[in-house]
């Protein structure tokens, strides 16, 4: 009799807890942001703008390096000629070369920081647009969380295809299906 009572109590508890467990389950969706970015025209424009900025900085760096190389070549040539440089001229030339090397290092560091800031500024509207669309689709479909399932992120081991909101977000952003 005690066993039956325990079984009945356990069954009642199970019946009472089951709906709460079902309610506690959270819907999670996933989207491959890398794939979405690759087909977005806005992303392509932003990437092209970033490449132009990078190329301009790299071009300036190359010009500075060429100028330094020319000065070093001139210095080497003059130092090989007996009496080609007085000690004062030698010190001045060495100081100029050192200053140009320092300028190149300073420019390189500043260019990296500047490029990163400009790149973030260029891509921010694209990412914000995606976040707005993801949120809209997630709310419409009842998802509580959306996870980036891009291969580069390496965090998703399995994702059910029915929870992939890629196409819904692509449609929300009005991005056409890329030709195969």
């Amino acid at each position: 009799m005690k066993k039956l009572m325990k079984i009945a109590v356990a069954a009642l508890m199970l019946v009472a807890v089951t709906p709460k467990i079902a309610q506690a389950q959270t819907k999670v969706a996933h989207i491959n942001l890398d794939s979405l970015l690759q087909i977005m025209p806005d992303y392509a424009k932003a990437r092209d703008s970033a490449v132009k900025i990078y190329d301009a900085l790299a071009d300036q760096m190359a010009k500075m390096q060429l100028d330094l190389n020319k000065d070093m070549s001139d210095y080497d040539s003059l130092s090989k000629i007996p009496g080609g440089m007085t000690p004062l001229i030698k010190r001045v030339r060495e100081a100029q070369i050192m200053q140009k090397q320092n300028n190149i290092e300073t420019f390189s560091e500043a260019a990296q920081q500047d490029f990163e800031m400009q790149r973030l500024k260029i891509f921010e509207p694209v990412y914000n647009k995606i976040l707005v669309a993801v949120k809209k689709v997630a709310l419409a479909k009842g998802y509580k969380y959306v996870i980036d399932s891009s291969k580069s992120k390496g965090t998703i081991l399995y994702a059910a295809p029915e929870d992939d909101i890629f196409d819904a977000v692509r449609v929300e952003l009005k991005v056409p299906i890329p030709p195969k």
Side-chain angles (χ1 to χ4, degrees):
M1 185 73 149
K2 285 185 180 183
K3 277 188 177 183
L4 281 175
M5 188 64 133
K6 285 181 184 179
I7 292 172
V9 170
L12 283 173
M13 288 177 61
L14 184 61
V15 169
V17 172
T18 301
K20 290 182 181 179
I21 291 172
Q23 283 179 341
Q25 290 181 345
T26 303
K27 286 182 72 176
V28 178
H30 63 91
I31 183 169
N32 186 324
L33 287 181
D34 288 348
S35 294
L36 181 63
L37 286 169
Q38 295 305 314
I39 64 171
M40 286 183 67
D42 292 358
Y43 181 78
K45 289 176 190 172
R47 185 186 59 230
D48 292 347
S49 294
V51 167
K52 285 179 185 175
I53 292 168
Y54 181 86
D55 288 346
L57 293 169
D59 185 51
Q60 179 60 37
M61 183 78 158
K63 287 177 184 176
M64 293 171 77
Q65 190 64 48
L66 281 173
D67 187 41
L68 173 63
N69 292 346
K70 182 187 175 302
D71 283 0
M72 289 174 68
S73 178
D74 290 348
Y75 176 84
D76 286 343
S77 296
L78 286 174
S79 66
K80 291 177 183 173
I81 300 171
M85 284 191 284
T86 66
L88 175 61
I89 292 173
K90 186 175 182 176
R91 281 194 311 273
V92 168
R93 291 275 180 115
E94 288 171 351
Q96 289 173 337
I97 288 171
M98 291 293 287
Q99 184 60 47
K100 285 185 179 187
Q101 286 174 330
N102 290 338
N103 289 347
I104 289 172
E105 288 176 24
T106 301
F107 178 80
S108 176
E109 292 170 9
Q112 287 174 350
Q113 291 174 356
D114 183 60
F115 174 70
E116 192 57 35
M117 286 185 349
Q118 289 189 55
R119 190 179 74 76
L120 289 173
K121 189 185 288 185
I122 290 169
F123 284 103
E124 185 176 22
V126 176
Y127 291 122
N128 286 341
K129 190 174 182 180
I130 290 171
L131 290 176
V132 167
V134 166
K135 183 176 181 181
K136 186 173 181 180
V137 169
L139 290 172
K141 294 185 176 259
Y143 289 106
K144 301 289 184 197
Y145 298 96
V146 178
I147 299 170
D148 183 1
S149 60
S150 302
K151 296 251 189 234
S152 66
K153 305 301 181 259
T155 56
I156 305 299
L157 299 177
Y158 172 76
E162 62 271 13
D163 293 325
D164 186 352
I165 62 171
F166 179 90
D167 280 326
V169 172
R170 181 189 54 75
V171 168
E172 179 67 30
L173 290 168
K174 298 175 179 68
V175 175
I177 297 172
K180 290 186 179 190

